[in-house]
Every structure is written in structure tokens, then in C-alpha cells.
Amino acid sequence: MNSSQIKHFDYIFTGTGLAALMTVYKMALSGNFLDKSVLLLDQDVKKTNDRTWCFWANHETIWNPIVLKKWDSALFADENSKRDLNLNPYQYSQIRGLDFYNFVFEELSKHYNITFLNEKVTDINELETHVFIGTEENRYTCNQLFNSIYTSSFALSQTKYPVLQQHFTGWFVKSEKEVFDPQQATFMDFSVEQKQNTRFMYVLPLSKTEALVEYTLFSEILLSKEEYENEIQIYLEKLGVHPYEILEKEQGSIPMTAYPFWKKNTKRVLNIGTAGGWTKASTGYTFRNSDKKSSELVSFLSSSMSLKLSAFHKKNRFWFYDLLLLDILYRHNELGSSIFSSLFKKGNPSLIFKFLDEETTLIEDVKVILKCPKVPFIKALFRVIFLPNKFNLNQ
């Protein structure tokens, strides 16, 4: 194929996950990119309900039309106690993946300058004046590329920063009995056997008979399919959910790491989403962080057309906090339950959510951090700051 057949775009998005679709959706709504051609490339057509996203917010968001369910209350539990969390002024919200895809693509279909093609990206090559993108079918060029295709080897092939996974299996179940409380989500239930890991159950009730029940771990090694599902079965029996029907299943694994993905950003290529470190490293939450980062990116592109994309990322103190927690959980994964229990059993839920959203003041940070077990964090702080090869996982 000669160069005259290669189609050029102002912006190309390789991979159309949460971050890419949020960004392009906001670009379309802003009206600031009507003169820019935009191409989205993905081998997945986004026609299935492949995941569920949850987030907390203390205000209405642009995603409110597709929120399936909101909760004002949440349950936190460990093997010794339970606590009902009043989330006010926050609400915990759930969005189904398919509803999100349909919502975004309905809007994008109205914009003639935005194109989606169902093609698998095989090659990305940044040149001095443009970026070249190859797929299995075609070749394209663009002025600026936004990549959300995650390359796991970047983080896994190094030993400087810990890498855990938030891995899970969830069942949407329908019980014959009314056993769920639709007014309260179970945020973290650490009463399940920990097995030297950080393991908890997560329950999102839609009604008294229907709920998403998810077995989640923050750990390094994934489990067999049978182990996740066995634990869900045991938990459902404990709740008295019997008999029941499994309506849908979901599973996933989200990297949790403070690895600086943004160092891969260049003048014309910006990594976004998980590929760009947009996932909240200490929790694996993606929706809220991607919502904020995508808004910041659209603002950056609107006002900084001539700047290098590498200028977009700004590291903050919360990255350092996440690094400390991940250092602890990597070395002593069994401490997860006690760390999260120390936060939620006595802490102010709204302040904790504000902290996890990276919106607290330094004084508020201290209030949250002081709830945590002191010794593990002091040791982690010492390793990070004072050891000659800081962050080295072999030390």
C-alpha cells in the first residue's frame, strides 16, 4: 500500500476502553474539536455487557442517565466486626458496561468527524512529523495518538515498583428468597478466609432477590476459576441465598502498581487508561479516576494544541501514598484486611472517599493516614526514602 492510500487523522485512539471513550465523548460534547478528525480503533465491537463499573460521587455527573443503581449506605466487615457506613454526601453508583458503550456511541454517531473502526492494531511507530499506525487491515497516520492498549510487560519486567492485581469473579444472582438489602451495598467484607492474602466479598444488591456478588483479591497471583467460584458459593450459603439462579458472570484482573507509565509518553503519543497509569494504584478503581483524567485531558487539548503530550502528566503526593501501600501489600499481602479495617471501622467514610479521590488537603491526608497501622507504613517509608536502591523489591 503506497502512502497516498494511507488515511490521515488529527487524533487516533488505539483501544476504546473506558478512558478512550470518556475522552472522545467529552471532546464531542465540548464543541472544541469540530474541525478535527478523530479515529477510534479496537478489535472489540463493544456490543456485550463485559464489565461493571462502580464509583462514588457527591454530585450529579454526566453519567447519571446510565446509572443502574445508587446506594447511600454501605457495609464494611471483617472477621470480628461489621460497620454500616453512611456515605453522605457521597453516593455509590453502578454502571453496566453495555449501557456505557451504547450511551457513548449514540452520541459519537452524531459527529461526522469521529470514526470508529473494528480493527486490531498491530503496529505503532512515532515519526518526527506524525505517528504511523498499522492494523491487520489498513494503515493510518495522525498528528497525535492516544493509546489505551495495555502492555503488561512494561510493569512486570521490572523490579523497582511492586505490581499486584485486583482480580475478581462476579455472579449476578437471582434468589428465590428475599435475602438482600437493596438500600445497602457491601463495600468490603473481609470475613472470608484470607489465606495469607487480601481477599474480600463485594455485594451490589439491585433488589431483595437480585445482586452482583463478587469475590475480589488484591494480590500478585491469580487463582483458578474454580477457587473464585467455590468462594462465591460458600458466601451465598452463608447469606442464606438458596436456591438461586446465576443470570450473568463477569471476571477481570486490573493491575495495581505505581509504575510510572507516563514516562512512556512522548511528544505525539499519550498513554491513557490503565496503559497510562490512570487506574487508582492502591484500589484498582478505574471509573472515577478516568472520569477526572479524561476531563483534564480534553481541557489540555483545548487550550494547549501546540504542546507536547508528554507535558500532560503531573505526579502528585497521592502517587507516593499509593506506592507505600502497594509496597506493604506486596511484601505482606496478609495485612490488607487489617489496613482497610483500621480505615473503615473508625474513620469518617466521606473523608476516606475524598482521600481516595485525591481531593483532600494535607491536613485531611494526615487524619486518614493516622488511622492506619503505624509500623508497616513506617517501615515502607524507610524503604522508599532511605534505602540506596529505593523501591527495590528484593530488599
Side-chain angles (χ1 to χ4, degrees), residues 15-19 21 42-54 94-102 105 116 166 168-172 212 214 247-254 286-287:
T16 57
L18 181 69
L21 292 178
D42 201 307
Q43 62 181 331
D44 182 2
V45 294
K46 305 298 180 185
K47 297 292 187 182
T48 60
N49 188 47
D50 56 354
R51 67 198 64 216
T52 298
W53 286 296
C54 290
Q94 177 188 10
I95 290 177
R96 297 169 75 248
L98 184 58
D99 294 338
F100 174 81
Y101 302 141
N102 290 340
F105 279 112
F116 173 81
Q166 185 212 81
F168 56 88
T169 291
W171 287 357
F172 290 89
L212 168 62
E214 201 160 85
L247 303 178
E248 287 183 53
K249 294 183 180 182
E250 68 174 32
Q251 61 182 17
S253 181
I254 302 167
T286 56
F287 195 92

Side-chain angles (χ1 to χ4, degrees), residues 257-316:
T257 181
Y259 175 80
F261 291 99
W262 55 86
K263 290 188 176 181
K264 303 287 184 182
N265 298 339
T266 63
K267 176 182 178 181
R268 295 184 179 276
V269 178
L270 181 72
N271 294 292
I272 64 175
T274 300
W278 285 19
T279 298
K280 177 66 174 170
S282 58
T283 63
Y285 271 87
T286 56
F287 195 92
R288 181 75 173 125
N289 253 30
S290 293
D291 197 16
K292 293 170 70 174
K293 290 285 188 182
S294 57
S295 293
E296 291 169 9
L297 179 54
V298 172
S299 177
F300 176 85
L301 294 174
S302 297
S303 60
S304 313
M305 294 296 185
S306 62
L307 286 184
K308 297 178 180 179
L309 290 179
S310 55
F312 171 69
H313 179 80
K314 297 290 186 296
K315 190 166 72 175
N316 60 30

Side-chain angles (χ1 to χ4, degrees), residues 160 381-392 395:
K160 194 174 182 182
L381 186 65
F382 180 84
R383 282 192 295 265
V384 167
I385 294 178
F386 295 111
L387 289 182
N389 299 312
K390 52 187 177 181
F391 315 148
N392 195 315
Q395 295 179 330

Side-chain angles (χ1 to χ4, degrees), residues 5 23 32 55 57 92-93 148 164 173 219 221 239 286-287 295 316 330 338-339 341 356 364 394:
Q5 295 174 292
T23 302
N32 294 332
F55 63 99
Y92 197 59
S93 299
S148 60
L164 299 176
V173 299
S219 65
I221 307 299
L239 293 181
T286 56
F287 195 92
S295 293
N316 60 30
Y330 185 86
S338 62
I339 291 172
S341 292
L356 294 175
E364 289 174 323
N394 297 319

Side-chain angles (χ1 to χ4, degrees), residues 134-311:
T135 72
E136 291 181 339
E137 294 86 359
N138 293 296
R139 304 290 181 266
Y140 306 96
T141 59
C142 63
N143 297 333
Q144 294 180 313
L145 173 73
F146 303 92
N147 174 59
S148 60
I149 300 173
Y150 178 66
T151 303
S152 60
S153 61
F154 290 160
L156 294 176
S157 63
Q158 53 81 47
T159 58
K160 194 174 182 182
Y161 300 92
V163 181
L164 299 176
Q165 301 288 325
Q166 185 212 81
H167 49 112
F168 56 88
T169 291
W171 287 357
F172 290 89
V173 299
K174 183 172 184 178
S175 170
E176 287 191 8
K177 301 176 184 177
E178 295 185 348
V179 291
F180 300 112
D181 179 0
Q183 305 307 314
Q184 184 179 67
T186 298
F187 187 59
M188 285 178 160
D189 184 349
F190 284 101
S191 67
V192 296
E193 190 176 349
Q194 294 298 288
K195 302 180 182 180
Q196 295 300 300
N197 287 140
T198 298
R199 304 181 178 214
F200 59 91
M201 283 293 181
Y202 177 69
V203 183
L204 300 178
L206 298 179
S207 69
K208 292 181 179 180
T209 58
E210 292 180 301
L212 168 62
V213 181
E214 201 160 85
Y215 185 54
T216 304
L217 291 83
F218 294 170
S219 65
E220 187 180 5
I221 307 299
L222 304 189
L223 309 178
S224 67
K225 176 185 176 182
E226 291 73 25
E227 188 166 356
Y228 296 104
E229 297 201 333
N230 286 342
E231 292 295 334
I232 295 175
Q233 288 176 341
I234 292 169
Y235 191 74
L236 287 172
E237 288 176 11
K238 189 173 82 170
L239 293 181
V241 183
H242 184 78
Y244 59 85
E245 177 186 0
I246 302 171
L247 303 178
E248 287 183 53
K249 294 183 180 182
E250 68 174 32
Q251 61 182 17
S253 181
I254 302 167
M256 300 170 65
T257 181
Y259 175 80
F261 291 99
W262 55 86
K263 290 188 176 181
K264 303 287 184 182
N265 298 339
T266 63
K267 176 182 178 181
R268 295 184 179 276
V269 178
L270 181 72
N271 294 292
I272 64 175
T274 300
W278 285 19
T279 298
K280 177 66 174 170
S282 58
T283 63
Y285 271 87
T286 56
F287 195 92
R288 181 75 173 125
N289 253 30
S290 293
D291 197 16
K292 293 170 70 174
K293 290 285 188 182
S294 57
S295 293
E296 291 169 9
L297 179 54
V298 172
S299 177
F300 176 85
L301 294 174
S302 297
S303 60
S304 313
M305 294 296 185
S306 62
L307 286 184
K308 297 178 180 179
L309 290 179
S310 55

